[in-house]
Amino acid sequence: MIARRIFIDWRTSQWIHIRRLSSSRIPEMPACDHQPSVYHGESYDVVKKVISSHVAPCQVPFYKKPLMMYEGYGQWLWDHEGKRYLDMFAGVATVSIGHCHPKVVSAASHQMRCLGHTTPIYMQPRLHEYVTKLVEKLPKDLSVVYLVNSGSEATELAFLMARLHTGAYDIISLKNSYHGGSQAAAASTAMSTWRYPVPPPAGYIHVTNPDVYRGPWGGSRCRDSPLAPGQRKCECDDGNCAASDKYLEKLEDIFRFSLPNNGRVAAFIAESIQGIGGTVQYPRTYLRKAYDLIHHHGGICIADEVQTGFGRTGGNFWGFEGHGVQPDIVTMGKGIGNGFPMGAVVTKPEIASSLKKALHFNTFGGNPVACAIGSAVLNVIAEEKLQENALQVGTYLIERLGALQLDHPSIIGDVRGKGLMIGVELICNPETRKPLPVPQMLNLFEDIKDMGVLVGKGGLYANVLRIKPPMCITKADADFTVEVINRAIKKSKLQNWQNKEYVFCNGI
Ligand SMILES: Cc1ncc(COP(=O)(O)O)c(C=O)c1O
């Protein structure tokens, strides 16, 4: 049974109604009308053995007993035994419109039958159709598209363009960011978990992350989310964010201390909301001021929209729009192809033309099948109003998670995000915000999966539950997710965590 209660939200001081969970009810998974087929393939044990012998050992799957997924539909996944899961992580924020969407399947199979590959040595109409649609979604002067195969490739290309265009070399990125695994992308990525003990390439500077929850500055009105960080009061006047200015000083310090006098910079790159870093949001005005500073020093501003693009943040199609900024280059990946390997760099004609200084070629980028899929994804987002759904269901889910935080303030330190880009930061001490220890975190993570919900984890301490589902989820799916997390937390609180061993850890 669900009881209703009314409470004062201590973050916004507004009366809001929240449905409270009855502790006795076992969460019931919402119905699904798709009938999955029966798996007749290779056994779980054989697949596991082959993967552990022949797949690079850094690619560790989630969970003590990794899941072997067999079929997907909408927001649902089935494992080889036919068990159904609610996919609230979407293959790391990638399955934007739902697994095996019929319109994507049909566009891909039709294009495969018609023409599967060309490379840019010939023109082909699918590319024309797709780039026309894509640039319509962007500010007018971002009109030139270079299609690639992944987010990392998009990052690499964006840096190359910025360096060629400005004649400068240094790239500034935020600490706690993730921009990819290839050389330049990894050098701009600033989390120890993702850095190898080899000398990094020159020309990358990491600046203090403007993290209003965990960073040194930030208050209750700093961020653009239905829920504010509750721990610190905000003393600032409207429109004048002191935390934002403090973090900006750190960026100014880069020009004062790390670059040559009157130094120029090639580019500044930032995610609109940090993804792998644990759904971290910046003070509202930070990016605007940072962009002004970078432009003042002749640099180019790159918005990494690999996770936040294509409507995921709900209120806007692109995350950067929520910050009131206009980037010079936008990088895209993940949700662009609903799981098909695609990426894109979109920029201004004068920046794009810098690549003409040499030949630049990409065998698969702009492949006709990829373009057909990309077009279908854009169509479905519009036809099914998925951005609007991300806003409505996402806001509802964030508010429900906020209510859950009030029930478990000793373990839920922060609930944040926008639309369906959500983070739940787990802690063991609300005063110090000390992260929940890994064994407890991972056990919770297992329990959530056992009850049928797949979420991700992230943040430097892997203590943030990351919720980034396909944008077709419903309020019933949101309710189910909250009930499952609630139950897992309650169970976790009853256990004794002293000296518990849990060796498995995967930082994604
Ligand atoms: C924000 C961001 N940028 C870039 C990338 C790299 O994308 P890919 O893994 O497709 O190379 C990722 C991947 O997780 C990402 O989250």
Side-chain angles (χ1 to χ4, degrees):
M1 213 188 84
I2 293 174
R4 287 187 80 80
R5 72 170 171 156
I6 299 175
F7 65 88
I8 294 179
D9 183 329
W10 41 262
R11 290 155 296 223
T12 60
S13 296
Q14 286 171 349
W15 289 92
I16 55 173
H17 297 256
I18 296 289
R19 292 187 302 170
R20 193 181 198 185
L21 301 160
S22 153
S23 57
S24 58
R25 201 159 66 96
I26 294 176
E28 195 181 316
M29 190 177 273
C32 160
D33 58 8
H34 178 75
Q35 188 59 43
S37 53
V38 177
Y39 177 67
H40 293 296
E42 197 53 273
S43 76
Y44 180 92
D45 290 338
V46 169
V47 172
K48 192 170 175 212
K49 193 156 179 248
V50 170
I51 288 182
S52 53
S53 325
H54 299 299
V55 171
C58 60
Q59 298 189 314
V60 187
F62 276 172
Y63 306 119
K64 278 188 268 190
K65 183 176 179 204
L67 294 173
M68 183 159 93
M69 291 309 182
Y70 169 56
E71 197 165 315
Y73 185 80
Q75 62 273 53
W76 305 105
L77 282 170
W78 285 265
D79 71 10
H80 66 293
E81 290 170 327
K83 180 172 175 186
R84 178 158 63 100
Y85 294 89
L86 175 60
D87 184 5
M88 294 297 284
F89 198 34
V92 192
T94 299
V95 181
S96 45
I97 63 169
H99 290 278
C100 305
H101 194 289
K103 291 202 171 157
V104 170
V105 174
S106 142
S109 54
H110 174 265
Q111 191 56 46
M112 271 310 249
R113 280 195 299 270
C114 176
L115 177 67
H117 177 74
T118 55
T119 86
I121 59 173
Y122 309 112
M123 296 206 298
Q124 47 102 357
R126 287 286 88 83
L127 180 67
H128 156 268
E129 177 191 328
Y130 183 53
V131 298
T132 307
K133 273 189 188 155
L134 189 60
V135 295
E136 273 169 13
K137 300 301 260 177
L138 286 148
K140 249 197 166 55
D141 54 351
L142 294 175
S143 58
V144 182
V145 182
Y146 194 140
L147 291 171
V148 292
N149 309 292
S150 69
S152 302
E153 249 190 273
T155 306
E156 297 280 328
L157 195 57
F159 291 170
L160 179 60
M161 285 184 189
R163 284 171 168 155
L164 288 168
H165 182 72
T166 59
Y169 196 70
D170 289 290
I171 307 277
I172 302 176
S173 59
L174 299 175
K175 289 182 182 165
N176 201 52
S177 64
Y178 184 91
H179 298 292
S182 52
Q183 201 193 28
S188 62
T189 291
M191 263 188 282
S192 56
T193 33
W194 299 97
R195 294 187 72 85
Y196 285 104
V198 293
Y204 296 89
I205 301 170
H206 305 145
V207 66
T208 302
N209 194 29
D211 177 348
V212 299
Y213 174 70
R214 199 163 272 294
W217 307 288
S220 51
R221 287 191 295 169
C222 276
R223 80 179 171 216
D224 178 19
S225 169
L227 297 181
Q231 275 73 8
R232 296 183 283 204
K233 283 221 159 17
C234 209
E235 312 275 318
C236 319
D237 310 332
D238 270 348
N240 174 31
C241 175
S244 173
D245 290 344
K246 290 275 185 203
Y247 287 116
L248 194 78
E249 277 174 32
K250 294 288 170 191
L251 186 56
E252 287 165 346
D253 278 350
I254 300 292
F255 292 93
R256 278 193 280 265
F257 299 111
S258 306
L259 290 167
N261 218 355
N262 296 325
R264 292 176 60 225
V265 66
F268 168 77
I269 184 168
E271 298 154 86
S272 297
I273 297 175
Q274 286 177 339
I276 286 179
T279 319
V280 172
Q281 292 182 272
Y282 323 129
R284 288 174 205 268
T285 52
Y286 175 81
L287 272 193
R288 203 153 12 99
K289 292 174 183 171
Y291 273 34
D292 286 348
L293 184 69
I294 298 298
H295 284 150
H296 174 74
H297 286 273
I300 276 175
C301 296
I302 305 171
D304 181 335
E305 291 286 337
V306 169
Q307 292 210 17
T308 45
F310 297 89
R312 177 159 296 283
T313 61
N316 304 100
F317 198 81
W318 306 108
F320 66 77
E321 293 169 309
H323 292 276
V325 296
Q326 185 171 323
D328 308 295
I329 300 181
V330 181
T331 57
M332 306 169 191
K334 292 191 184 279
I336 189 174
N338 201 42
F340 194 81
M342 281 181 78
V345 181
V346 185
T347 187
K348 300 173 177 174
E350 61 274 22
I351 297 176
S353 64
S354 61
L355 273 185
K356 281 166 63 184
K357 290 175 185 168
L359 290 176
H360 198 278
F361 179 72
N362 192 309
T363 300
F364 297 116
N367 165 287
V369 179
C371 291
I373 288 175
S375 277
V377 168
L378 287 178
N379 291 348
V380 170
I381 292 173
E383 287 160 12
E384 298 183 7
K385 299 195 178 346
L386 293 184
Q387 183 189 329
E388 291 84 339
N389 196 56
L391 178 63
Q392 274 171 21
V393 179
T395 304
Y396 174 78
L397 177 53
I398 291 170
E399 285 174 353
R400 285 224 50 193
L401 289 164
L404 194 67
Q405 182 183 11
L406 295 179
D407 286 346
H408 303 290
S410 62
I411 202 162
I412 300 184
D414 195 24
V415 175
R416 53 186 177 247
K418 275 174 79 177
L420 288 171
M421 178 90 184
I422 302 171
V424 179
E425 178 143 3
L426 302 179
I427 41 111
C428 60
N429 183 333
E431 303 296 311
T432 61
R433 285 165 266 163
K434 189 171 172 207
L436 197 70
V438 168
Q440 193 174 353
M441 170 70 195
L442 290 178
N443 223 280
L444 247 160
F445 194 62
E446 292 281 342
D447 284 341
I448 292 170
K449 177 262 298 171
D450 289 344
M451 284 184 271
V453 176
L454 306 176
V455 295
K457 55 190 158 56
L460 187 60
Y461 310 104
N463 67 321
V464 181
L465 297 177
R466 290 167 62 203
I467 300 177
K468 301 159 185 198
M471 296 187 290
C472 55
I473 64 156
T474 64
K475 284 190 176 172
D477 300 329
D479 286 335
F480 177 60
T481 303
V482 176
E483 288 182 42
V484 163
I485 295 175
N486 181 32
R487 205 174 180 82
I489 290 176
K490 280 183 173 165
K491 187 176 157 205
S492 179
K493 279 175 160 177
L494 296 175
Q495 285 169 306
N496 173 16
W497 286 101
Q498 300 285 310
N499 307 320
K500 275 249 162 48
E501 291 269 325
Y502 193 131
V503 282
F504 163 82
C505 185
N506 179 336
I508 290 187

